[in-house]
Each structure stands twice: as structure tokens, then as C-alpha cells.
């Protein structure tokens, strides 16, 4: 019986409000084969090394800790047995059981990844919550280019597409870290430079977008809408060069956007989460996210969360799961957040460093209140404004 | 009742000698309004984000933990109540009560910051200790330039001013990290280059000094005096680019100064404190400081101190508060150091990793003995040499 | 009595298999004088700062914790008393007693360091284990150059020497981090470029090899053999610039070697061990090592090991001591690994995060099984293949 889990497992009675998962992805509609399942436990896009398995990772162990009991199996049962039970239940029932145990009340879902994945509303419904869309800028640009006849049409259509998305989505996201690295020229590119870059890119058949001028153009189009912009920082799949994803490299862009009124949310951050927390502490419009990081660090989630909480102002840190493909990752992300938070704040109140009142208040801020404020979710709900687009 | 505090709160009976605060600043002579007070709880120079307050930070929570009891209020009382009580007592009585509870015996005070701040002696007297001056090089240069008629007069006067300061101050400090970043050319600039740079700077009206040639010239003038040189590294206000303040960037300057006989003290260091500890472990003349870092990490102070103590030789780590503006920051800096140190060394002796005799000895080294040796304080006291200049 | 030590001290009964120390060095055949002994406790190549001693470090305290009882003295006895007892026993008996207490069953020994040091077999015999050779590429190149009459003869002889070494050694090692830094051009150098570089180097008398073309040539010669290649990363002696030894700088070389079938093992890694663990998590052929790091962080070994285990897949992390010069460093490296591992995995099983079965399995993987698989030790033993060369 875990000793660090309020309530003894997912299901939790830790006094937190329904969580706002401010950055996540759809899950597979179909049943994955074992290799596909294991592939979602890692950020690697390659096979495991000979003699190893992706189940032998913190993410793999965390799935085996938290998920089997939700499907009627003992914690830590072998992967094969778990996968067999999963197949028996089928993808819909599995999704319903797993998402239903997370306590997530709002899903802000990045719809820019390929695959047969559930959309914002569909994901949220399985979990009994509300869905909202986060629009990935590079995907939007690539889709827009696919429909454009020339660069002029593309740039016009792109401006409209970003504007339209701002009317329905709650935020934008950029993966410039993957496409170029974060050491971007901070200034908005001149219209001429955008046109030239667009012409070259369209002429080349609009392959995967890596042009730094167009990446910057997307960032500034999004910033102009006033919707919060999520930026991938820190670790991710091996497309990325880790040292080029240090959020400190964004400092000049952070300065350049300081007076726009638009908030920037630094996603993931690890292992540069102390750098991200620093930026959040000195720039009013910068926020930091714990998603992905807690999922992949397992029983170290409390320690890593505590590192975030060294410099990050308590109104600047946001919960997410960054779950992708497997509903299991929603379970793991939320369970590790809940148990990590309880461990950290419990220790701090026990030592007298924090009062219990403050600890409860800060827990709710990170779990939900900060995200509701940054993304305007409460107003949204009242005004009947942005809500999940698509299924 | 805190469980990790020997003696239950400031007042402490932890067996440490009177602390040497080898890097600190003056405190406000007047009563700050609430916004000004809150502004000293953060390294940000901007307003808090909408919906947030600087009290919702580790520094804010630490002030509310440690300071209210010293003014007759319960720990963790609301900020408004604390500030009202502070106004009731007035700035002098508040300062006396707070500084009197720190157990600091010597204040090495950087006098280069603007504002109506207490000087070294004035600060020390409120706390019942001795004051010493640390001269900030960039401020000295800017003040010298303001009185010089041309570049030649400036460079001559600057050389004299540094020399004079070495006669009364116990150390110099550079904030080149803010003005240019730490990736400085390590060699002393040639006299011609200094003259050229000085001419340009004086001709421009000697604005805030950011010229790398003049910054390096200041460093080498200071090194030539033999007085220890403190260097800002790591986090600070948003003037600074964090990744340009990694102390590892100083490696070439460290090598260039290795045979000068002058010690370099790396201030703050976070989040690059492991890098700073490494430099202190391989270069005899390099020291590392925990100031600012513990204050801003609250209940994580023990963990961060432990990270410093991975590679830092025990004779190379120095306590400071880096307190500035508020006497509260002296309380927090010293209390977090004392409780953090007790937690770390207590755990290490309990496990048998360290003997109790060694733990007591190392505690005293970090708290006071290392600083006394590096800054020559014992000899100074005997010789009637450098002491606080000004009030 | 230490509370975190299964069995109460070296001798251990922690259920681990005989350890495979996949990266270590010979120890002094003669009795070192006190200054020489202390010099092996630090990565510094300079004298200690005035008023300090290298015994006042985590490595020094760890030696005093673990080694005196093995020579019949109380833990934490003063250095002088320990050194006197050591002299009394003599180097052979000291070595036998200390190595015999480590539980190391296989020594993969880098023979590229100068000095009167024990070889693989000699070291292993003192500890009751088997010895294997790791060939340091830069030393091999410098020795080959010393025997070559011209650049052509050198490049031919070098290719043969690497090929020959691959027949007897279990791995290669590069210290390019020291000689140039890890930001190397990832591509194999063209034959012409190698010839030109070799000519310049030989013409200059073949001094310490720092030419980046020749360093890359060595890396690719080694990679071509299929033997695992160990790369120094992270901290080391002050020859090295720490920020140029961040393993993330190897990303392009990692990509360039991804399809060669050769494994790369990132040594030491600290303080960039989270970066190294990330690389091991996304690239199948990348492994990470804890050696040197645990030895120098003392009671923080558990915390640092836990940081490695955030992202590192459990099949990708390898135990070593990186012991050098003193048999004491074998004791400290293995004791800190054993106690650190027991502390970390014990906490994770106690909380329910890991099952006990998994914890035992993963412990054995890091201690021995991963290294046996990567270096082909089991097959080697069966085939009578690579074994220790020289004494």
C-alpha cells in the first residue's frame, strides 16, 4: 500500500479542485499493439536498445503502478498481463476507466499531432470534463500551405487562419524548439523577409517547416492575437537538440514581447526547469509548466516539482500531463502531480515553513486556478466563448 | 512548531559562531509602502502579473514565517497585518529587532547601490556587529567619470580610486554579469584599448557602464590590489541574461588570474551552483557563495545547500544573505542558512557519513571562518586596518 | 552505526551480484606520501588553497568514513593516523584489504594514464576479480607517434594499433573533452584532412594531442571496430572547460553514429547528468555512467543517483568507480553506489512506486548486467576472447 498517496491511489481525496490540464493531446481511438503501446512510454522515436524495453523506465514503472488497479489488476503486474486485460476491455472502456480516475475537469488539447487521436471534446467526455483546443502553429502553417497556390495566398491565408483560430482556441503552441532551436532572433520579421521565406518554402513544396523567419512570423502572429502562447522547451523527442531548447535562450524574445499583453507559457522545461522558473519570477508575462516532466520522472516527481517551486512564483506554475496517445499517461501525469504535490507541501507544512492554509491555496493555484486565469476559462465558460473545436 | 529549527526559531542555539555575512547591502532608512516592500521580495523590477503578488513566493512565505514573531505577531500572519505592525514600530525599531535576531557578527556591505540605505557601520550597529565595506567597481567608475573632465583624467582618477578603495574596503565586487555577461575576454585590456574605450564612453556622457573593455579593465585593476574580488554570477534582476551568467563562462578568466594571488568569490551562482562548486574544487583561488540563493528558495534551502556541498571543498563555501532594502531579508537569509545547514549536517551525521566533530567544524567554516580567512578579518581587527567607511 | 548501510559497512549483504566496474584505473604500486595521497582526493592538479586541505571534501570524508575500519581503525579517524596505519601495512596489504572489500568482480581498466600503476590483471587479482583493458585513444596515438618516422607511417600504424587493440581490449575511451571540448564536428574527417593534420602534428614533435581533426579521426577509427567507446563528459581536472564538456554538445556526433552498431558510453556526466540521461533515453546506442560522480559527492550520492534515474532507462545506466591511484577510491566508489542505490530503491519500494522484484532486478542491471551486455563480458569469458593485457 503506497504511503505517499492521499486516499491510497487514483480516485484521490486530496482536496484539490478539478484539475485543469492546460497542455495535452488526444489518445488513440484504436487498440495499440504492444510495440506501439511501449513506444508511447518514451520520447524516443527509435526502437529500444537490444536487451532493453521501454517498460524499464520511470514512465513504464509508473504506468504499471497506477493503471492496473483501474482495470481490475494488481499494481506492478507484468506488461503482457496488463496489455491483455486492456485488449479484453477494448479502447473505449479502457479510456473511460482511466480518464475517469484522473480528476481532470478541463482538457486544453493540442490538436496539431497526426494519427487517429481523440479530439478535445471526445477526450474530455471520456473523462467527464470539458475540452478546449490549443492550436499548434507549425501544423496550421503546413495545412495552410497545402491549400495555397502561391506564397502570397499562403501568407494572407495564414494571417486569417491564426486570427480565426484565436476565436475558437484558448491558446497557441509553437514547437520552434524542434524546428530550429530557441535561439531565435527576437524581433518580428519584416514583411519582405516573410514573403521571401514563404516563396522559398512554397517553391520547395512546403516540407516540414524549419525556416526561422517563418517560425518567428508564426510566433508574432500568435502574440498579436492576445491568446496565451505555449512554447515547447526542454526535453522531447530526438529531433530536438537539448541544449538548444534551454528556455534561457528565449530571454530576448521574452523581453521583446514583454509589453504586448500576451502571456507566454514555457512547456516541460526539464532539465532547465530552474531556468524557466527564474524567467517566470522576473517577467510578469512568463509562466512555467510541469507537464511531461513529472510523467517521465516517476517517484522523482516530488523532487522535480520542488525544484520548480524554488524560484517560480506560486501564481506562475501550471499543471499539465502532456499525455499523448495513451489514456494511461493522463493517469500517470495526474497521479504523480497529486502525490508529488502532497509530498512537497506536506513536508513544508510539517516543518512549519508554510502554513496549511497557504499550502491548500497554492495547491489549488497550480492545479487549476492559475490556468483558469491565464486562459480565461471562467470567463469563457460564462460567455459561451471558445470551446473545443472538432470532435 | 517547526521541527527543523534548533531552538524553535530565530534566536537559535545551534552552536555556530557569530556569522560573517560576506556580501550584503544596506536597508531602507524609511518605512516602505506596501508595494515597495513587496518589490524587495523579488528580483523582478516589474510589477507582479495580474492576479498575483510577490508575497506568493518562497521569499514572501519565508518572511511571513520568520519575521512576524520578532515583532510580536504569529508566524504566517497576513502581509497587511505584518506591515501594519511594522509601521507601528517604525523603521529603526523594526531594524533593531530584526537584525538583532540574526546572529550576524560581521557585515561586508556592498555600498554601490542607490537609495536611502544604511551604510556598513549603521547596519552593523543595529545588529550588534561590525561593518566593513565592499566597493562595487562599476559604481566607482561611474562616480569617477561624473567628476572627470576627459578620458585621460578619468583613467588616472580611476586607478587612484581603486587603489584608495583597497586601503579601506575589504573587497571589490563586479556586476559584469549584468553589464555584458561573463563570457569576457580573459586578458587584461591593453592601455590603448582602455584609453579608446574610455574616450568613447566619456564622450557619450558616461552612461551606465556596459563597455566590455572597461569592465575588464576594472576587474584587472581590482585583481592587482590583492583584495578579494566578488563576481555576480547566476540569477538576478531581468537586466541579466541567465545563460550569460553561468560561472563556467568565467573559466578562462579564472585561469588568467590563477597566479595573481588574488581570490575570486563567485556570488549567488544558482542555478549554476554545481558549476561554481566545481570551479572552487579545482582552482585554489576560487570561492563560492550561497547568498541570495537560500533566501529565494525557502524550504528548499537545505537541498540547494546540499547541492553546493557536493563538489565545493568545505574551506571554499561562504555564507551571506545578500540582503537588500529590508532587514527582513537578513532574518530570512540567516534563518534559512542555519536551519538548512542543521538539516543537512544533521542528516549526514545521523547516517554516519560525517562525524559530529567534523560537522561542527565545517559548519563554523562556512558560517564564518572561511570568510574571516579570505577577507583577512581577524588580522584586520587586530591591525585596526580596513573598517566600514561612511555611516 | 550508519542507518543507511545494509550490513553496516563494506562487506555488504545487499543482494547485488559482483559489481562490474566498467571504468577505472590502476592504483599506485608504491606508498604515496601524504601530499600525494591527498592529491588523489581531488580533481584539482594544483595545491590546496592556503588554510585548506583536500581531506575537507566529500571524497576526503568518504575515505575517512569507509576505509579506516578495513585497516582496523575507527571510522572518521584523523588523516594522519590513517596514513600512518597504511604505511605500517604497506601498499600490497593495503590494496588487498581495500579492494577485497568492494565486491567488484570485474575491472575494466583504462591503461592510458602515466605513473607506476597496477595493470588490469594485477588490480583485479588484489580484489579477487577479473581484469579487462580499456584503451585510451589519445594515449595510443601519442605512443604510436613516438615510434613513427613520419605522418604516413603514423597514420598507417595508428589504424593498425586501433585494430589490434580491438582484439584484446573490451572498449576504447576518448578524452576529447579535455583536449578540445565536446563540440566536435560530427563527421568523420576526410583522409586528406587527417594526413594534413598528422603532418603538422608530427612536424611539431607530436606534443599532447589537441588537434580536433585527429581527435575525430580517433573517435571514428574506434567506432569502426564495433567496440563500445567511452567518452569523458562532465567534470574533471582543470584542463577541461566544464561548459565544453556538457554531453548535450555530443548530440550531432550521437546522431552521426546512430547506425554504426557501436555503443557510446557517456562517462561521469556531472553536473550534466540529466542531459546524459536524456540522450540515453532517446538514442538506443547511448549509455550513461555514474563513476567519479558518486565518489566526489559523498552522502549526496543517493540524490545524484536518483537524478540519473529520472530519465535514464534502467538498461542504460552503468556502475563504475573511476578509481585512480588509491585503492581507497574503489572502496568509496563501490560503497557509495551500494548505499546510495539501497537508499533510493528502498524509498521507492517503501512508497509503492516500485515493486521489490523490479527494484532487485534494476539494481542488478546497473551494478553488473548492463555492463556485461554492453561489453560482451559473458561471451568474452566463454570464448576466451579479450582479457586483461599486461600486468
Amino acid at each position: 500500500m503506497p504511503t505517499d498517496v492521499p486516499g491510497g491511489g487514483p480516485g484521490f481525496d486530496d482536496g484539490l479542485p478539478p484539475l485543469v490540464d492546460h497542455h495535452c493531446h488526444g489518445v488513440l481511438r484504436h487498440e495499440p499493439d504492444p510495440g506501439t503501446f511501449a513506444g508511447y512510454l518514451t520520447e524516443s522515436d527509435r526502437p529500444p536498445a537490444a536487451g532493453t524495453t521501454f517498460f524499464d523506465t520511470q514512465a513504464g514503472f509508473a504506468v504499471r503502478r497506477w493503471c492496473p488497479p483501474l482495470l481490475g489488476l494488481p499494481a506492478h503486474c507484468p506488461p503482457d498481463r496488463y496489455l491483455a486485460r486492456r485488449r479484453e476491455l477494448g479502447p473505449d472502456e479502457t479510456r473511460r476507466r482511466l480518464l475517469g480516475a484522473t480528476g481532470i475537469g478541463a482538457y486544453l488539447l493540442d490538436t496539431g499531432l497526426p494519427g487517429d487521436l481523440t479530439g478535445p471534446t471526445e477526450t474530455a467526455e471520456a473523462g467527464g470534463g470539458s475540452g478546449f483546443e490549443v492550436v499548434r502553429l507549425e501544423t496550421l502553417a503546413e495545412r495552410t500551405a497545402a491549400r495555397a497556390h502561391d506564397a502570397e495566398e499562403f501568407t494572407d491565408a495564414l494571417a486569417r487562419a491564426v486570427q480565426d483560430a484565436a476565436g475558437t482556441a484558448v491558446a497557441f503552441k509553437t514547437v520552434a524548439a524542434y524546428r530550429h532551436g530557441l535561439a531565435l532572433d527576437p524581433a518580428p520579421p519584416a514583411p519582405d523577409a516573410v514573403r521571401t521565406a514563404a516563396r522559398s518554402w512554397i517553391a520547395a513544396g512546403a516540407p516540414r517547416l524549419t525556416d526561422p523567419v517563418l517560425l518567428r512570423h508564426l510566433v508574432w502572429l500568435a502574440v498579436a492575437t492576445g491568446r496565451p502562447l505555449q512554447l515547447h522547451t526542454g526535453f522531447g523527442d530526438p529531433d530536438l537538440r537539448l541544449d538548444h531548447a534551454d528556455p534561457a535562450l528565449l530571454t530576448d524574445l521574452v523581453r521583446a514581447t514583454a509589453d504586448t499583453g500576451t502571456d507566454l507559457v514555457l512547456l516541460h522545461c526539464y532539465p532547465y526547469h530552474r531556468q524557466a522558473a527564474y524567467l517566470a519570477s522576473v517577467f510578469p508575462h512568463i509562466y512555467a509548466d510541469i507537464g511531461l516532466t513529472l510523467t517521465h520522472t516517476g517517484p522523482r516527481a516530488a523532487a522535480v516539482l520542488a525544484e520548480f517551486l524554488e524560484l517560480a512564483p506560486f501564481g506562475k506554475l501550471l499543471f499539465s500531463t502532456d499525455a499523448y496517445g495513451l489514456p494511461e499517461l493522463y493517469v500517470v501525469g495526474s497521479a504523480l502531480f497529486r502525490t508529488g504535490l502532497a509530498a512537497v507541501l506536506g513536508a513544508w507544512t510539517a516543518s512549519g515553513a508554510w502554513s496549511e492554509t497557504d499550502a491548500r491555496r497554492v495547491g489549488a493555484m497550480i492545479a487549476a486556478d492559475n490556468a483558469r486565469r491565464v486562459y480565461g476559462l471562467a470567463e469563457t465558460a460564462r460567455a459561451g466563448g471558445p470551446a473545443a473545436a472538432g470532435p
Side-chain angles (χ1 to χ4, degrees), chain A residues 33-86:
Chain A
D33 62 62
T36 302
F37 186 97
Y40 281 103
L41 301 175
T42 172
E43 288 294 298
S44 181
D45 56 6
R46 296 154 194 237
T52 76
T53 152
F54 291 135
F55 276 99
D56 280 348
T57 57
Q58 295 291 8
F61 278 29
V63 165
R64 287 175 51 225
R65 173 196 199 176
W66 296 107
C67 298
L70 297 171
L71 304 191
L73 294 173
H76 300 297
C77 77
D80 287 353
R81 191 169 162 207
Y82 179 76
L83 293 175
R85 173 65 176 152
R86 207 183 188 284

Side-chain angles (χ1 to χ4, degrees), chain A residues 188 219-220 222-227 229 253-264 285:
Chain A
V219 164
W220 283 99
V223 165
T225 69
R227 290 266 169 228
L229 174 61
L253 183 68
V254 165
R255 286 181 185 141
T257 56
D259 298 320
T260 60
T262 298
D263 291 327
L264 307 186
H285 69 308

Side-chain angles (χ1 to χ4, degrees), chain A residues 68-386:
Chain A
L70 297 171
L71 304 191
L73 294 173
H76 300 297
C77 77
D80 287 353
R81 191 169 162 207
Y82 179 76
L83 293 175
R85 173 65 176 152
R86 207 183 188 284
R87 277 191 301 275
E88 199 175 284
L89 293 170
D92 294 344
E93 175 65 10
T94 298
R95 180 158 73 246
R96 201 191 54 74
R97 289 202 189 191
L98 296 178
L99 291 185
T102 62
I104 297 172
Y107 296 75
L108 278 60
L109 199 139
D110 167 7
T111 52
L113 285 169
D116 182 26
L117 301 173
T118 56
T121 303
E122 187 182 4
T123 309
E125 276 174 2
S130 309
F132 302 90
E133 185 175 16
V134 174
V135 168
R136 189 185 283 229
L137 292 167
E138 291 80 7
T139 306
L140 189 67
E142 287 159 2
R143 285 181 188 159
T144 303
R147 289 189 296 261
H149 295 94
D150 58 32
E152 283 63 34
E153 188 182 330
F154 163 71
T155 49
D156 291 350
L158 182 63
R160 277 196 310 276
V162 170
Q163 201 53 53
D164 290 352
T168 54
V170 290
F172 289 99
K173 174 185 179 183
T174 172
V175 291
Y178 279 107
R179 305 301 182 89
H180 177 269
L182 296 179
L184 289 164
D185 180 339
D192 269 6
V194 172
R195 270 190 297 272
T196 306
R199 259 181 236 124
S200 302
W201 184 53
I202 299 283
R208 190 166 175 275
L209 180 59
T210 60
D211 180 272
V213 170
L214 295 180
L215 293 170
R216 287 160 53 210
H217 180 55
L218 284 170
V219 164
W220 283 99
L221 282 177
V223 165
T225 69
R227 290 266 169 228
L229 174 61
Q230 303 179 340
L231 300 100
H232 180 107
T233 72
F235 80 122
D237 78 50
D239 263 11
L240 165 152
R241 229 189 104 135
L242 187 58
D243 52 334
H244 296 181
D246 179 345
L249 297 173
L250 287 169
T251 306
D252 295 333
L253 183 68
V254 165
R255 286 181 185 141
T257 56
D259 298 320
T260 60
T262 298
D263 291 327
L264 307 186
V265 184
L266 309 176
L267 299 176
H268 324 317
C269 309
Y270 181 97
Y272 308 107
H273 43 296
R274 284 167 158 168
Q275 282 85 330
Y278 167 74
L279 291 173
S281 79
V282 293
F283 292 102
H285 69 308
I286 302 301
Y287 293 79
D289 159 69
I290 59 163
L292 192 66
T293 295
L294 299 200
T295 296
H296 285 274
T297 56
R300 290 285 300 169
V304 173
L305 181 61
E307 291 178 352
F308 268 109
L309 284 168
E310 288 162 2
L311 282 198
F314 310 136
K316 296 297 208 74
L317 196 62
L318 280 74
F319 160 75
S320 80
T321 61
D322 198 34
Y324 171 40
L326 305 179
E328 280 82 357
L329 298 177
Y330 280 102
V331 172
V332 164
S334 56
L336 289 171
F337 170 66
R338 287 174 186 279
T339 55
L341 187 74
V344 169
L345 301 192
W348 293 351
T349 51
S351 76
W354 285 29
S355 73
E356 287 187 28
T357 308
D358 282 331
R360 266 193 302 275
R361 185 171 61 88
V362 170
M365 288 163 67
I366 301 170
D369 298 349
N370 293 338
R372 290 200 171 278
R373 189 181 69 248
V374 170
Y375 296 101
L377 297 190
E379 297 90 314
T380 293
R382 276 198 302 274

